[in-house]
Amino acid sequence: MAGERASVPRPPPRASRFFVMRAGADHSPAVRMQAVFRGVGPGVAVSAEVLLYTPEQAAELLGVKPSWLRRKAAARAVPCTFVGKHLRFSRADLEAIVTAGEQTPRALRPRA
């Protein structure tokens, strides 16, 4: 039969260790961190097995600039880890940064 192709079965897709959050999803820091702890990295593919994050990776996950994160870490205003002279952030460090930055919503004042 002309024009017909033989159907070749495809192998099942392999499970990947890298995950990416969907575009258009809520990318607030709290949602990003929840995604990280589920093994999903936002924006860039981040391995679910990462033990320590570079300042660039951590900044991407937190939604801040790497320079802000480095400045805060140098001032010891945020939890961080130094491996030799290299600055790194653990999941616990990132969780603490998000928790410290959370604010309760303020009630609106009634208009007079």
Side-chain angles (χ1 to χ4, degrees), residues 15-87:
S16 174
R17 342 182 266 152
F18 299 99
F19 304 93
V20 177
M21 283 183 74
R22 284 178 270 133
D26 181 13
H27 293 288
S28 65
V31 171
R32 288 173 188 233
M33 291 311 301
Q34 289 170 0
V36 169
F37 297 124
R38 285 194 321 261
V40 180
V44 294
V46 178
S47 173
E49 300 170 6
V50 172
L51 296 177
L52 294 174
Y53 297 93
T54 64
E56 289 75 20
Q57 290 171 325
E60 175 70 26
L61 294 172
L62 294 171
V64 298
K65 291 184 177 182
S67 59
W68 179 88
L69 195 56
R70 286 180 189 276
R71 193 170 50 252
K72 292 291 186 180
R76 302 302 193 265
V78 295
C80 61
T81 303
F82 283 94
V83 180
K85 64 179 183 174
H86 301 283
L87 177 62

